[in-house]
DNA sequence: GCTTCGCCGTTGGTCAGACCACTATAAACA
DNA sequence: TGTTTATAGTGGTCTGACCAACGGCGAAGC
């Protein structure tokens, strides 16, 4: 890896070394890494290099730096990374269309996985969020958080954290957009019913029907774009 | 953004500023950013901070630093990031399972989108990659790059860049695993046939059949875990 | 006139040392 | 025993210096 014929920075080499270290020691989330000083001595490089390597790794979520305390191994979460990258997505109109289509695939996949996993607690929570959503609608308020929470809980019901993170990123993106145009009361009420249909179908473990209901629910979004 | 009541690093603030700058100026890949010196003067922080921010962004692929030249806006590719993060995924048995299941959803979604989009050029390229894959297999070599290229081209055939990136994030990871255990010649040959079946089904615009063929193709992976 | 070569300014890469801010820990205290 | 305080260690930021790579420009050569 650190062979010649490679004109890379020291920072890159150092971050590779630290990653190797994590693997060799089989460290997990929360484990404490050597301090900056120790890394400097062990690797024989300047503090600048070690710090730049660590800062990069921190932004990737690989490590977590705590001031005055030390450096810890971070979780395997995708979120910090995707957040860093998605900041440019709204540049493109086209990107929006793509996001809608991508979301469709993810939501349909989610109902399938949710049925396979069948987490009763999550299904109950989906009921709860839908109930609260109905309340908000009755009060004439836009049920944005509730709607989002419903879908997030669905992704959580898959029991697949990777999938949850991946989907969460896409869904979060829609929240920002929806804050501007609140849907009408009628369409919100319709959404509540559609949510209920999805839940019912999942409870019945009917994959085809659940997908159909979700498809119906998402159809207006497709047209909107 | 840089209000008080937020105990974040200067580096974070600076990298946010630079991202804002990219958005405000509507900069695209390859555009040149201000030099370190200019950023230092404009933001009123030390070189250390600016450099740490830039280094982090470089590792995320947001910018590309060229020694002796300057700083450029990077592409929207998720690849560089994936490499930085996925190095620990295989530690987790569960993460592996999640990845396999997630990939299944994404691949099935891809064939559906590919049929909807129907990009002949991409389909031809899938044929081409599959042909090269067959050649490699005949030579007794592991057709890793070709296999990966085939699937990537499938994702590209969706005409959906977002989906391509999202999927690339997941499926690239499987390459590294496969580099270790090369599949047997028989299983590779089987893969080639399965790929062909997928292509045929897409060309026939038969969504159900294409999904079925893809499901068959991915089945061994599910069991492997 | 055109090309080639080499100088030099700019830019990023690395280093060393200093000082500040924060945290955990342990010693001193009530 | 429980609280407060002192302290040592850690990361955060700054400065100034030197090195290495690149680009541009002018001089030399064709």
């Amino acid at each position: 890896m650190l062979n010649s014929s490679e004109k890379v920075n020291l920072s890159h080499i150092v971050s590779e070394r630290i990653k190797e270290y994590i693997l060799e020691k089989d460290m997990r989330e929360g484990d404490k890494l050597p301090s900056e000083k120790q890394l400097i001595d062990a690797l024989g490089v300047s503090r600048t290099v070690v710090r730049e390597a660590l800062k990069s790794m921190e932004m990737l979520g690989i490590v977590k730096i705590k001031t005055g305390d030390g450096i810890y191994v971070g979780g395997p979460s995708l979120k910090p990374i995707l957040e860093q990258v998605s900041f440019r997505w709204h540049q493109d109109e086209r990107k929006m269309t793509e996001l809608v289509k991508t979301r469709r695939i993810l939501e349909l996949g989610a109902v399938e996985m949710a049925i396979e996993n069948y987490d009763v607690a999550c299904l109950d929570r989906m009921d709860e969020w839908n109930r609260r959503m109905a309340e908000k609608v009755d009060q004439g308020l836009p049920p944005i958080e509730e709607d989002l929470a419903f879908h997030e809980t669905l992704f959580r019901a898959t029991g697949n954290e990777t999938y949850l993170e991946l989907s969460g990123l896409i869904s979060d993106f829609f929240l920002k957009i929806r804050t501007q145009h609140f849907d009408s009361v009628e369409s919100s009420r319709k959404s509540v019913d559609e949510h209920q249909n999805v839940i019912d179908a999942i409870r019945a473990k009917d994959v085809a029907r659940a997908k159909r209901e979700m498809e119906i629910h998402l159809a207006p979004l497709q047209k909107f774009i």
Side-chain angles (χ1 to χ4, degrees), chain A:
Chain A
M1 298 297 180
L2 63 152
N3 293 345
S4 57
S5 76
E6 283 276 357
K7 50 172 183 176
V8 292
N9 305 335
L10 269 182
S11 315
H12 282 140
I13 297 174
V14 168
S15 78
E16 287 302 318
R17 290 273 195 170
I18 296 175
K19 287 196 290 183
E20 285 171 18
Y21 182 88
I22 293 174
L23 286 181
E24 282 169 13
K25 297 264 181 176
D26 194 39
M27 302 180 88
R28 300 308 167 107
E29 180 171 1
D31 290 351
K32 194 167 188 175
L33 282 162
S35 70
E36 281 187 4
K37 181 88 179 65
Q38 290 171 308
L39 289 172
I40 291 166
D41 295 339
L43 299 170
V45 294
S46 75
R47 197 185 168 192
T48 310
V49 172
V50 171
R51 281 191 56 76
E52 285 179 357
L54 288 173
K55 258 277 142 51
S56 302
M57 297 172 78
E58 187 196 25
M59 206 159 284
L60 289 165
I62 297 174
V63 300
K64 197 168 158 64
I65 302 175
K66 291 189 181 179
T67 307
D69 185 357
I71 306 157
Y72 297 84
V73 176
S77 172
L78 285 177
K79 216 169 189 177
I81 311 147
L82 294 175
E83 251 172 52
Q84 291 297 322
V85 181
S86 65
F87 81 104
R88 259 191 318 165
W89 278 4
H90 75 272
Q91 268 186 343
D92 243 309
E93 278 295 322
R94 177 177 154 188
K95 203 92 184 171
M96 288 299 303
T97 312
E98 294 186 358
L99 282 167
V100 169
K101 289 188 178 182
T102 302
R103 185 186 166 184
R104 175 178 161 267
I105 300 291
L106 291 173
E107 298 261 8
L108 291 177
V111 300
E112 184 176 337
M113 265 198 235
I115 290 174
E116 185 190 336
N117 189 54
Y118 206 77
D119 183 335
V120 178
C122 278
L123 290 173
D124 289 345
R125 251 180 298 153
M126 283 168 69
D127 265 327
E128 175 66 15
W129 281 116
N130 205 36
R131 198 183 55 71
R132 288 193 204 175
M133 182 168 166
E135 280 177 11
K136 263 268 183 83
V137 174
D138 286 339
Q139 293 166 22
L141 299 171
I144 296 172
E145 297 93 8
E146 289 76 11
D147 193 8
L148 197 78
F150 173 86
H151 287 280
E152 189 197 313
T153 309
L154 168 62
F155 288 122
R156 204 175 292 279
T158 62
N160 188 326
E161 285 223 13
T162 307
Y163 199 76
L164 170 64
E165 287 176 16
L166 213 61
S167 309
L169 176 77
I170 305 287
S171 300
D172 276 5
F173 198 74
F174 284 93
L175 174 65
K176 294 174 190 166
I177 299 167
R178 257 215 275 161
T179 45
Q180 293 158 341
H181 7 170
F182 5 41
D183 303 333
S184 66
V185 176
E186 303 91 52
S187 75
S188 290
R189 215 180 292 274
K190 198 156 75 81
S191 278
V192 172
D193 291 339
E194 290 163 358
H195 283 177
Q196 193 57 54
N197 291 338
V198 171
I199 296 175
D200 290 344
I202 292 176
R203 280 226 155 85
K205 299 194 180 182
D206 186 338
V207 175
R209 185 177 134 217
K211 282 190 172 183
R212 216 180 314 127
E213 297 292 353
M214 179 57 87
E215 196 95 71
I216 292 170
H217 177 49
L218 295 176
L221 199 59
Q222 314 260 99
K223 282 179 188 166
F224 174 66
I225 303 290

